[in-house]
Amino acid sequence: MSLLLKFAISILLVFLSNTIEIESVEQIYSLETRYIEVPVDHFSALPSPKYFKLRYLINSKYHVRGGPVFVYTGNDGDISIFAQNTGFMYDIAPVFNALLVFIEHRYYGQSLPFGNSTFSSPDNMQYLTSTQALADFAFVIEHLKKSFFENVISYDTHPFVAFGGSYGGMLAAWLRMKYPYSVIGAISSSAPMFYFPGMTSCELFYDKVTQVFEKYGHDQCVKTIKLGWDVIINLSKTKLGMDFISTTWKLCGKLKNSEDTEMLLNWLGNIYVNIALTNYHYPTDFYTPLPAYPVKVFCDKLTTSYFNDTKGLIEHFSHALEIYTNYTGKRVCNNINSSIDDYTEFAWDYQQCTELVMPKCSTDADMFITKPWDFEKYSMNCFKKFGVKTFEPDWAVIAYGGKNLRHYSNIVFSNGMMDPYSCGGVTGNMSASIWAFNISDAPHHIDLRNSDVADNNYVFSARAFHIQAIKQWLNMV
Amino acid sequence: MSLLLKFAISILLVFLSNTIEIESVEQIYSLETRYIEVPVDHFSALPSPKYFKLRYLINSKYHVRGGPVFVYTGNDGDISIFAQNTGFMYDIAPVFNALLVFIEHRYYGQSLPFGNSTFSSPDNMQYLTSTQALADFAFVIEHLKKSFFENVISYDTHPFVAFGGSYGGMLAAWLRMKYPYSVIGAISSSAPMFYFPGMTSCELFYDKVTQVFEKYGHDQCVKTIKLGWDVIINLSKTKLGMDFISTTWKLCGKLKNSEDTEMLLNWLGNIYVNIALTNYHYPTDFYTPLPAYPVKVFCDKLTTSYFNDTKGLIEHFSHALEIYTNYTGKRVCNNINSSIDDYTEFAWDYQQCTELVMPKCSTDADMFITKPWDFEKYSMNCFKKFGVKTFEPDWAVIAYGGKNLRHYSNIVFSNGMMDPYSCGGVTGNMSASIWAFNISDAPHHIDLRNSDVADNNYVFSARAFHIQAIKQWLNMV
């Protein structure tokens, strides 16, 4: 879910390193940075209300008086990253004369409620919830309606439309659902709205990842990947084996014990997931620089000729993994424990531990190591890590209605049918104006990216659908 | 706004004193008392989540399997009181085979989050907000869907319909607005939805009270009431004058200083308001036992023959006031400071100081002492009393959309056109299924009372409208 962030960081680094005259992000994207004081807790009446500075960015390049406001509901990361990676909003802004606004999600980027102490205690972190973030968005939008459009009182003259991808897509939809007077509609891309306990079978996610590998890789790819787990586990039983993997896979630190092996297995699993999520039809820099159809390229490196050659298989995997870990050939070593000192990762893990529990499990049918879903264990691990409770499994049903969306209006839910998260997405219409648009063959939130010459007709039609929906909401058709 | 409570207490007392065999309230109304553990704070992820027991009452007398659930969203008071004073729900339950549920509002009745310490500090009181109360309701409803209807999974099989009057009417509407998957529709009676800063002119409330006196009292009544203020203020300048008023009006404590006089003026003003609110067309016990059309009876006691006789006027007022203060002739003295030691009053004042700020002012055009609305002063007084902040004036707009209700569905807003609070009510349709029903000639939430032989056609038609709306929501028509 912190996909966009990772993507953006890499984009940014590549960009900065390739540019002779370094322009600031604000200049390149015509973004003006603003801050607004918002309550730390929107839902209490404490005697000394605390406020903090929430950041938002504005692009008024395409705005013509009377045009709508397109607002991105920031998700798990620095908002400037999202502002640079939702090209669709810039692409269509001129068509609508739209103002673009990107609001940062509290606890990410520069919007830290308690400054340097933001992550230092459960007490300080307790306001990191989607309900508080939504109240922030409503607060900022109300402020903008009053301040930016000084002389315009009518809501309808300056309607706001929400955009968001992944968790940001959930927020865009929830904003429309909970504060329909704030935004006239929402484009919610690749949002796993139904990926909560009891709502979606836990095995579907890894099933879908496996399907992606089956569809885009060669016949034996999945079989080879499955074999890989056994080989790693076997090799890891001896120091010699661990050293061999560490060296062959260029790990930054050598494997030393079973905990390291566990971490390695997770790291490998995440790579498979990420390649599947970003299996775009053209070269991208989403998490990391990748060729077109990286799943195919990855699988092509894994032949079946090493089935009886353990070390040969590990070496082979090494070449395949470099497609993901080192496509540009510049990486010195692979750090399998990347979440250290990364507050974005920390905050997102916290959210996944509290509200946004998305049960994943693997079975014999998929290409991952079999692992059942255990809510109690999950919850206990979260408590160890953050000292917080995991919300009741019913939380998403009580707070956001679960799958019962028929009472709402004006939301487009788009999902790539080859996006693993689509298994928890809204893929059928829910009411007369809660529409699902399923994008054949597409990975994670491709429709929110800027247009590309390599875009296929499926992606093109998804974006056309969005544009048409927005026009309807704005009474332009 | 705490009308129902006062009404109910008096009803209860009268009832108990007149009954030889005392039955419990639960027996009389076939109510079963239940408790459920709900989070003190629905919106945080604190390490040790606190829970408290929220009370709700169930009447299953009219329930037939498959019938809907009518749920009363409790307002400012003990829920058993509301369960006894919303006769309309019992009257129509047999028509729908409905289960009746009355959920208590947190911080009232027995639903105290911190037991005896609930009101002891601003920290403990901070969770007394409408947003937390709504989350309670959604929580209980989700629980009921699972527990009460064990074998029934489908939401549509057991739809819930919300009912509420006054503040409870606001909550019923907000519940449908914020949690439309919880209730299929809401009957919101006499709810001053738009009575928030900047949304309704502050003078309209007292204007409406004055109109009620002008319409139902004789020609000179309003003039006499206005004269009364001057006479009291003049008399209060001397000890002799204060003693005279204290004795003639049977005050429990003698007036001693200007603060007492201020309190007396407020007490008198509240009586005018309350008589106007409960100016029913038949004898009632709403705040206190009253004759039919109490405004008329009150005014009839005030003739114009005392215009030049100050003391005579005060004596005359004494007789008129007894219509309200002592209609049964049993009261010994009048306590003009009734809010002491009353936690219901305390909690409600707190809510009016924080979220539910309803600006009232009086001008030369009405029958009250001229008093402008001063938000700063109001807020300061609240801080002195409770140590809390008054929410930003924009609060109702940000939290509930202000007057922008067009995105919602399935709510009936009913208002008596002679209810002073109707000035802040929804009196026009807002969308294809947000309907307003204006009840000619009616005072505060008469439509939620049980049917009475003296009911006129206006009230009858309001209730018929509610029934028809509910049938539509349930697909029964």
Side-chain angles (χ1 to χ4, degrees), chain A residues 47 146 156 178 387 394 406, chain B residues 47 146 156 178 181 387 394 406:
Chain A
K146 284 200 170 165
D156 294 311
K178 290 290 180 184
D394 280 346
R406 70 190 171 92
Chain B
K146 284 200 168 165
D156 294 311
K178 290 289 179 184
Y181 41 84
D394 280 347
R406 71 190 172 93

Side-chain angles (χ1 to χ4, degrees), chain B residues 340-361:
Chain B
I340 295 167
D341 294 331
D342 180 345
Y343 279 127
T344 293
E345 202 78 31
F346 189 75
W348 179 242
D349 283 352
Y350 176 91
Q351 289 200 262
Q352 287 193 300
C353 266
T354 50
E355 291 180 333
L356 307 171
V357 176
M358 302 190 182
K360 293 185 183 105
C361 63

Side-chain angles (χ1 to χ4, degrees), chain B residues 10 73 127 160 233 245 252 308 374:
Chain B
S10 61
T73 50
Y127 308 103
F160 283 58
I233 290 166
I245 296 175
C252 297
N308 292 318
D374 184 338

Side-chain angles (χ1 to χ4, degrees), chain A residues 363-407:
Chain A
T363 68
D364 287 346
D366 62 51
M367 67 185 210
F368 292 83
I369 298 175
T370 301
K371 206 174 183 179
W373 168 249
D374 184 339
F375 184 82
E376 290 308 316
K377 194 176 164 192
Y378 184 88
S379 177
M380 209 165 64
N381 284 338
C382 286
F383 189 80
K384 274 187 206 159
K385 186 167 179 184
F386 297 107
V388 295
K389 65 170 179 141
T390 295
F391 278 37
E392 318 223 354
D394 280 346
W395 169 82
V397 175
I398 294 171
Y400 297 115
K403 291 192 174 180
N404 191 351
L405 303 184
R406 70 190 171 92
H407 302 276

